[in-house]
Amino acid sequence: MNGTTTRDRLMLAVAVVMAAIYLFPLYWMYITALKSGSEVFATPPSFWPAAPQWSTYAFVWESRNMGRYLWNSLVIAVGSVALISVLGVGCAYVLARYRNAWVDVGLFLILMLQVLPASLMITPIFVGFSQLGVLEYPRLAVVIAIAAKSMPFFVVLVRATFMSVPQELEEAALVDGNSRIGAFFSIVLPLARNGILVSALLIFMQAFGEFVYSKSIIQAAELQPASVGLNSFMGPNTNEWNNIMAYATMYVTPILAIFVLLQRRIVSGLTSGALK
């Protein structure tokens, strides 16, 4: 009993240390946003600002037009989630229900797409979109590119959710006179709803912070998302670290709030496919 208690305390201590290491950069971002320009470069650094500069947030919001950037990020994220959900749910259902060698090959190819980095895919995507005229609608082009990149992740997660739904329920619905499509919408989809919503939320968080496609495809400043706006601070003589951190704080905090509020649902949705 004592051995078990000691082990639990040791694991808790390790978890606390790892969490502190992981969260420290986030803490440093928040306090740097409140420091003055001279205090940012003070040696040794202070772990709390002597006189918090709350006005930095208002200055960055107005001078950088944060509202426009965040709106563009929201449009791209919502569009990506909508496109991936419409196309990915049906694909995941087929891969979960129909088992044969060709389905296994399809799943393998889907997983292979997930390992391709965005920096590798951007050149052929840009050339293809240019030839098709999609670049005339840059935000739509970014949405399609994000969908192509994130679809495998969504399909794999939702497939696991569909596999956790007993197939006997569909068979009973078919016996009662439902079609395969009717059984899918009336039986399977409602039972898999939580897993699909969690997967869509993860895609939203990913798309909200997307940078590579947006930076390469969207040239007009009024259509660029917040990730590209943050990059506009960077230069050979950058020293506005308090403004940069204030911008990053306003950009990151909404996503952090969503994750914290829905963390239990996210964990339960991700693990639902593992229990059958």
Side-chain angles (χ1 to χ4, degrees), residues 63-261:
S63 63
R64 292 287 173 168
N65 205 349
M66 274 289 295
R68 182 191 67 197
Y69 282 123
L70 290 175
W71 170 252
N72 290 330
S73 292
L74 183 63
V75 168
I76 291 172
V78 171
S80 301
V81 169
L83 182 59
I84 291 173
S85 299
V86 169
L87 299 178
V89 168
C91 179
Y93 175 74
V94 170
L95 292 174
R97 285 293 182 258
Y98 298 96
R99 308 288 183 84
N100 57 49
W102 290 109
V103 170
D104 292 338
V105 170
L107 182 60
F108 175 77
L109 293 175
I110 287 176
L111 291 174
M112 286 299 98
L113 288 174
Q114 183 62 37
V115 305
L116 296 176
S119 56
L120 177 65
M121 297 175 65
I122 183 58
T123 299
I125 286 177
F126 187 90
V127 173
F129 284 177
S130 178
Q131 294 176 347
L132 294 173
V134 182
L135 294 182
E136 296 179 7
Y137 310 95
R139 286 189 298 193
L140 175 61
V142 172
V143 167
I144 296 173
I146 292 174
K149 172 62 178 173
S150 301
M151 184 75 74
F153 177 71
F154 181 85
V155 168
V156 169
L157 289 181
V158 176
R159 175 180 180 267
T161 301
F162 281 137
M163 291 179 68
S164 69
V165 177
Q167 198 163 354
E168 291 78 7
L169 296 177
E170 289 179 76
E171 295 171 354
L174 294 174
V175 171
D176 288 341
N178 275 309
S179 63
R180 172 68 69 176
I181 295 177
F184 172 75
F185 282 104
S186 61
I187 303 296
V188 180
L189 203 57
L191 293 176
R193 178 181 57 196
N194 284 343
I196 295 172
L197 289 177
V198 168
S199 301
L201 178 60
L202 294 176
I203 295 295
F204 177 88
M205 295 168 66
Q206 203 175 66
F208 194 79
E210 199 285 321
F211 173 75
V212 175
Y213 296 136
S214 300
K215 177 66 174 177
S216 303
I217 293 175
I218 303 178
Q219 304 302 320
E222 63 271 12
L223 298 178
Q224 291 175 339
S227 56
V228 180
L230 179 59
N231 180 254
S232 67
F233 278 99
M234 302 306 172
N237 300 310
T238 298
N239 58 9
E240 304 176 78
W241 291 110
N242 53 342
N243 292 338
I244 293 173
M245 293 305 173
Y247 185 107
T249 297
M250 290 185 283
Y251 180 29
V252 170
T253 299
I255 295 299
L256 288 177
I258 292 173
F259 182 82
V260 171
L261 291 174

